[in-house]
Amino acid sequence: MALTDEQQAEIDAARGEAGRTLRPTVPALEAMLFQAMPVLDHGFVRVVDYMGDDAAVVQAARVSYGRGTKAANEDRGLIRYLMRHRHSTPFEMCEIKYHVKLPIFVARQWIRHRTANVNEYSARYSILDREFYIPAADALAAQSDVNRQGRGGVLEGAEAARVLELLREDAQRNYDHYAWMLNADEAGRVLDPERQGLARELARMNLTLNTYTQWYWKTDLYNLLHFLSLRADAHAQHEIRVYAEAMLETVRAWVPHCFEAFSDYRVGAVTLSAQMLAIVKRMLEGEAVEQAGSGLSKREWRELMAMLGRPA
Amino acid sequence: MALTDEQQAEIDAARGEAGRTLRPTVPALEAMLFQAMPVLDHGFVRVVDYMGDDAAVVQAARVSYGRGTKAANEDRGLIRYLMRHRHSTPFEMCEIKYHVKLPIFVARQWIRHRTANVNEYSARYSILDREFYIPAADALAAQSDVNRQGRGGVLEGAEAARVLELLREDAQRNYDHYAWMLNADEAGRVLDPERQGLARELARMNLTLNTYTQWYWKTDLYNLLHFLSLRADAHAQHEIRVYAEAMLETVRAWVPHCFEAFSDYRVGAVTLSAQMLAIVKRMLEGEAVEQAGSGLSKREWRELMAMLGRPA
Amino acid sequence: MALTDEQQAEIDAARGEAGRTLRPTVPALEAMLFQAMPVLDHGFVRVVDYMGDDAAVVQAARVSYGRGTKAANEDRGLIRYLMRHRHSTPFEMCEIKYHVKLPIFVARQWIRHRTANVNEYSARYSILDREFYIPAADALAAQSDVNRQGRGGVLEGAEAARVLELLREDAQRNYDHYAWMLNADEAGRVLDPERQGLARELARMNLTLNTYTQWYWKTDLYNLLHFLSLRADAHAQHEIRVYAEAMLETVRAWVPHCFEAFSDYRVGAVTLSAQMLAIVKRMLEGEAVEQAGSGLSKREWRELMAMLGRPA
Amino acid sequence: MALTDEQQAEIDAARGEAGRTLRPTVPALEAMLFQAMPVLDHGFVRVVDYMGDDAAVVQAARVSYGRGTKAANEDRGLIRYLMRHRHSTPFEMCEIKYHVKLPIFVARQWIRHRTANVNEYSARYSILDREFYIPAADALAAQSDVNRQGRGGVLEGAEAARVLELLREDAQRNYDHYAWMLNADEAGRVLDPERQGLARELARMNLTLNTYTQWYWKTDLYNLLHFLSLRADAHAQHEIRVYAEAMLETVRAWVPHCFEAFSDYRVGAVTLSAQMLAIVKRMLEGEAVEQAGSGLSKREWRELMAMLGRPA
C-alpha cells in the first residue's frame, strides 16, 4: 500500500479545487492529477503539475502567435519530423512536475540526470518513515554470469528465503537503532527524557539504502524523454524501470503525438555504426556476410544480429 | 505600435478558449495571458504559459503532500526565509514561458543566460520583418566619460538628428538590399522571375543588429529572478532593462510573496565585503573613517559611501 | 589573412613559455597550441588550453587510481564501447578551450549550444574591428527550391557580382557610420572634439550581422562532440561547418581513440526507426518492399533509401 | 589511514611521469597533484588535473590574445573587481578535477550541485570496500534544540558509547550480510560454489549510508567557489565541510588572487536587505534603533546584530 489514509485524504482534499485557466489543458492528464500510481512495495509516482501539450511543441517550432494550425494531421507530421531529426528545443517547451516516493538506492541513480529541478525530503531536518524496499519473489535476481552489471535467473529456495530475511531484519534493526539514536519515534516523540539524542543529520547514516525517500522532480519534455529512453530500457535496473514505465503512461496521456513519435524513433529505433551499415548493404546485395571478416568484433556482431532478428 | 491588427486578432481568438484545470491557477496572471505588453518601438513581452504559484514554492520547501499550509502568513514568512538564505531549489519549482519580440543586439545579451529554453524565429528558414529599433530621443545617450560601458548625457541638436538619420537610413537600405538579394518581398513573393535569389541563410548577414527578431523563452522562477536582478538593474543597458521591467510586473502578479521577498532581499539589498563590514563597524563605534587608511581602494570607498547614502 | 602581424607577434611571444607538468599531456595537441587555424576570410580557431586525453576517459570509466591500463588496445575497445552505448559521463572528463574569431550571424547559431563557457568581446565596452565576412565566389549559394533552410546552386554572373557588391558596400558604409556615431576611429581616437559621440552600446546596433566578433569558448569533450556532430554535418550552414571541421582536426590530434569511435558510431552511423528497421528485415528476407505499403511517408522512404545507398 | 599501500604505490608510479607543456602551469598546485589529502576516517580528496590559473581569468575578461598584462597588481585588481560585481563567466574559464572518497550520505548532499561532471564507482558493476564512516568522539553531536537541522553539544558518556557501538556493529553486520548475499568476498572470490549469489545491483541496498564510495568530480572555478561558499560555511554539515576545507587549500594554491577575492567578497561578506540597510543608515545617524519598531522580525534582527557584532 503506497499511500497512508492520511496521505490519501490530503490528496483528495486538494483534488477538489478546480479552477478556470486560459492555458492549454489536457483532460487525459488532468484525470491523472493527484492520483498516486503505486510503484514497488511502498513507492509511487504522481503528476503534480504540467505546462504545455502537443500543440505547444508545434507552436514553439513555428514561433507563431496562435496555437499552431488546427490541422491535427499536420501537427503530428511536424512532431514526427522534429523527433526523427533530433530537434530538441521545441520539446523543451513542455514541463512536468512529479511527486515520487522511491528507495534511496534508486534515487541515487535517478539524480544523475542533472537537467531537472529537485526538492527532496530532508533527513537533516526531519525523521524518515519506517519503510524499506524488499523485492518481490520474482525480482530477487541472481548476479548475471555474462554481464557484470546485469541480472541472471531468479534466486529460489533456501538462498532466496535467507536473502529476504536478511534484507528485512537488517533494514528494521537499523531503523530501530536510528530511532534509538535520535531518541525519538517516527512521529518525533521523545523516547527517553534523560537522553539528548544524536543529531538527525548524523543518525541517518545508520539507515540502509533501501529506505524510502521522496521528492518533487520537475523537468522538461525533452529531458524527460531522454530519461525514459535510458530508464525504461531493458538494460535499466528493474527497480528504476518500473518508475519509468509508470511515467511513460503519463506521457502517453499528456502528449500523445510526442509519445507516438518517441516510441517509433527512439524506443523502437536502432543505430547502425558505419561498419554495421556497410554490412547491411552487403547483405542486401545478397552477400552472405559472417562475423569473421566482417570487421566487427564478436560483441558488435552479436549486437547487430540481435537488431536484425537473426541468429548470431 | 507593437502588434499588427492581424497579430492582435490571432491573440484575441486564442484568448477565447478557457478550460478547467486542477492545477494551481493565479487569476492575476491569467488576466495578463495573451496580452502583449509593448516594449521599445516595435517589441513586446507576453506571458504564454506558467506553472505553479507562491504555494508551489512552499510545497516544494516542505515536500508535503498537500498545497502547503493555508496560513498565508506562514507561507510568506517561509518564502522570505528561503530568499534571504539564498535557497534556490524551491523557486525552481515554478516555470514561466514568454513570447518576446526584441532587437537582435538585445537578444545577444539575453541569450547569455543559459538556464532557459529558447525557440527563436529562424532567418535561415523564413524572411524577417522590416522592423528596426530606433531609439527615442531621450534614449539617445552619449558615451560616458567615466564608465567605459556606460551612458552619459543625452545627445542633442545636429548630432542627435544625424545619428537618428543614419540609423534609420542604414537599417532600411540594408533591409531593402536583403530583400533584393533574396529576390523576394517581406511576404515571400518573387521580385524578378529571371533571378535565382541568394540563400536566406546568407542574405540575412546584410541586416543590421537593430533588426527585430522574436522567440519563445521559458525558464524557472529562480533563474528568472536572477535574470531580472541583473537586467532590471540600473547598470543594465536601457534597451534590455525595459524588457526586464515589464517582466517584473508579471512576476508581481504571479507570485506576490516571492516578488516582495525578491525586492527586499535582492533588488534593495547590498553586499558588504569583509573590509567594508569592518569599516561600518568602526563607524558605528563613532570613529570617523576616511578612505585613506580605510584599506579600501578609492573605487570601493565610493561604492561603500553610495550604499550608505553618504558623500564620498 | 586571419591574423594581423601584431596578433601573431603576441601569440609567438606567449608560445615561448613551456613549463613542466605532472598532468596528462598530448604532444600532437601541444603542437597546435597557439596556432590560429584560418577559417573563412578573417576568422580563425585556436586551442588555448586543454585538460585530459584518451586515458582520462578510460580512467573515469574505471574510477581507478592510476592512469588506466597501459594496454592501449583495451583502452581503445573500452572507448568504442562507451561511444557505441552512448555513455556520456566519461567523455565529460576532458575539457578544451578555444579562441575563435567569427561573424556575428555564425556566433548566433553557435551560442545555442548552452553547455559551454563563453567570454565574448564586448561591443558595449570596446570598439569592434572593421572586418566583415564576404563569401567566396563558390560559397555564394542560391536559395534551395526543395529545402526551405538549404542552399541550391551557386549564383553566377551579374546577380553574383551585385550581391557581393551590396554586401561589401553595406558593411563598410555601416561601419563608417558606426565610427562617425562613436566619434572615434578603430583605435579609439576622437574624430571631432566638438562632438560627444554616441554610447558604444547604442552605436553597435548599426553594424551588420557579418561583422566579426571573437570569444573564448570552453566545453567538455562530450558536448564538443555533440556540437561537432550537428555542425560538421552536411545539413549545417557552410559558414559554421568550416569552423567545426577545423575543430575536428584538433579532436583528432587530442584524443585519437575518441575521434575514431566518434567517426564510426556518430558521424558515419544511421538511426533506423522501428518502421524502417521492420522494412530492412523484410528486404533481408528477400521481399521487394516499395514505398506504397511500406508504412513510411515518401519523405521517410527517401531518407531510408539514401541511408541504404539505393535509388528512391 | 585513507590510502592502502597499493593505492599509494599506484599514485606514486603515476607521479613519476612529468611532461612539458605550453599550457599555463601552477607550480604550487603541481606540488599537490597525486597527493591524497586525508578527510574523515577513511576519505580523501586529491587533485587529478586542472586547467588555467589566475591569468586565465584575466585573459577571458579581456578576451585578449596574450596571457593578460604582466602587471600582477592590475590582474589582482581586475579579479577583485570581477568577484565584487559577481561577474561569473571569466571564473568559468578555469577547470579542476578531483578524486574524492566519501561516505554515501555526504555524496548525496554533494551531488545536488548539478553543474559538475561526475563518474562514481558503480556498485551495480563492482563490490564496494568494507569501509564506513564512524564519527570521531568530538563530532558526535546531539540534535540542536533551536535549529531543526543543526547540531547541539557533543554527546558523552554511555549514550555516546552506545551510539558508536551501534554505528559500528550495524555497518559491519550489514556489510557482512551484503557479502553473504553476493556470495563473494571483498576481492570478488566466491564463498560457496553451491549458491548463485544475489545480483550486485540488489545486494547493495543492504549497505548503510555511511559506507564509503568514491568518484571523479570535475567543475569550473565559478561553480567550485559557489560549492565552497555553501559547503565550507559554518551552517554546512561538519562531514561535508571538512571536504570543502581541504578543497579550499587547493584553491589557495591554484589561483591565489581569486582565493583572496573570494575570501573578502564572499566568505567574509554579508548581505544587508533593504530593511537592514535602512536600519544601519539610521544607526550611523546616531539613532538608537531597537528591534521593536525596526520593521525586522526578531529572527532577522538577531541576524543583523550578529553581522554587526552587537548584542541582540
Side-chain angles (χ1 to χ4, degrees), chain D residues 225-241:
Chain D
L225 293 178
H226 183 66
F227 174 88
L228 295 177
S229 73
L230 293 173
R231 302 306 181 179
D233 183 83
H235 294 92
Q237 180 166 352
H238 168 76
E239 281 73 21
I240 197 167
R241 199 163 73 231

Side-chain angles (χ1 to χ4, degrees), chain B residues 60-310:
Chain B
R62 299 211 173 112
V63 193
S64 61
Y65 288 92
R67 295 288 317 285
T69 169
K70 298 303 174 201
N73 200 45
E74 281 182 36
D75 283 9
R76 177 174 171 273
L78 177 54
I79 285 173
R80 292 178 72 81
Y81 175 87
L82 295 170
M83 185 73 73
R84 193 161 75 249
H85 292 279
R86 295 194 168 265
H87 287 256
S88 55
T89 55
F91 298 105
E92 295 173 8
M93 286 289 153
C94 295
E95 191 89 10
I96 194 162
K97 181 161 55 174
Y98 294 99
H99 180 189
V100 189
K101 187 167 178 184
L102 71 177
I104 290 174
F105 74 95
V106 175
R108 298 231 304 136
Q109 282 195 334
W110 192 311
I111 201 78
R112 294 307 323 284
H113 296 262
R114 287 163 294 184
T115 313
N117 310 114
V118 186
N119 276 278
E120 185 176 353
Y121 189 85
S122 169
R124 270 189 92 188
Y125 191 85
S126 302
I127 300 174
L128 283 167
D129 291 339
R130 197 179 190 280
E131 288 180 323
F132 326 104
Y133 167 61
I134 306 294
D138 61 356
L140 206 67
Q143 175 63 32
S144 165
D145 289 330
V146 294
N147 180 347
R148 283 196 58 148
Q149 59 179 356
R151 295 186 178 191
V154 171
L155 288 193
E156 293 182 343
E159 187 172 8
R162 179 64 182 148
V163 163
L164 289 175
E165 189 178 44
L166 287 173
L167 288 173
R168 239 180 241 116
E169 284 178 5
D170 286 356
Q172 290 176 356
R173 180 193 309 106
N174 284 28
Y175 189 92
D176 292 341
H177 290 164
Y178 163 71
W180 188 90
M181 291 190 271
L182 289 176
N183 193 28
D185 69 7
E186 234 180 308
R189 281 177 298 248
V190 171
L191 301 179
D192 175 356
E194 303 298 306
R195 288 205 287 120
Q196 294 188 271
L198 187 66
R200 280 188 277 272
E201 68 182 27
L202 285 172
R204 61 174 164 172
M205 81 172 78
N206 203 56
L207 295 171
T208 49
L209 283 158
N210 55 349
T211 308
Y212 273 90
T213 183
Q214 51 179 289
W215 61 32
Y216 280 79
W217 190 77
K218 168 175 157 286
T219 195
D220 63 62
L221 179 57
Y222 177 76
N223 282 287
L224 176 62
L225 294 177
H226 183 65
F227 174 87
L228 295 177
S229 73
L230 293 173
R231 301 306 181 179
D233 184 83
H235 294 92
Q237 180 165 354
H238 166 76
E239 281 73 22
I240 198 167
R241 198 163 74 232
V242 286
Y243 285 90
E245 285 165 356
M247 293 158 84
L248 269 180
E249 291 311 303
T250 66
V251 174
R252 186 202 299 267
W254 179 27
V255 281
H257 288 331
C258 294
F259 179 82
E260 182 203 48
F262 174 67
S263 304
D264 291 342
Y265 298 118
R266 287 285 172 286
V267 177
V270 296
T271 297
L272 302 179
S273 69
Q275 289 82 357
M276 287 174 171
L277 177 61
I279 289 166
V280 169
K281 285 180 182 176
R282 285 162 62 192
M283 290 168 75
L284 285 172
E285 295 298 324
E287 192 179 336
V289 188
E290 302 200 341
Q291 187 266 324
S294 71
L296 296 190
S297 68
K298 284 184 184 169
R299 185 173 205 157
E300 287 185 78
W301 179 262
R302 278 198 309 271
E303 289 175 12
L304 176 60
M305 290 305 111
M307 288 177 199
L308 300 176
R310 312 201 136 208

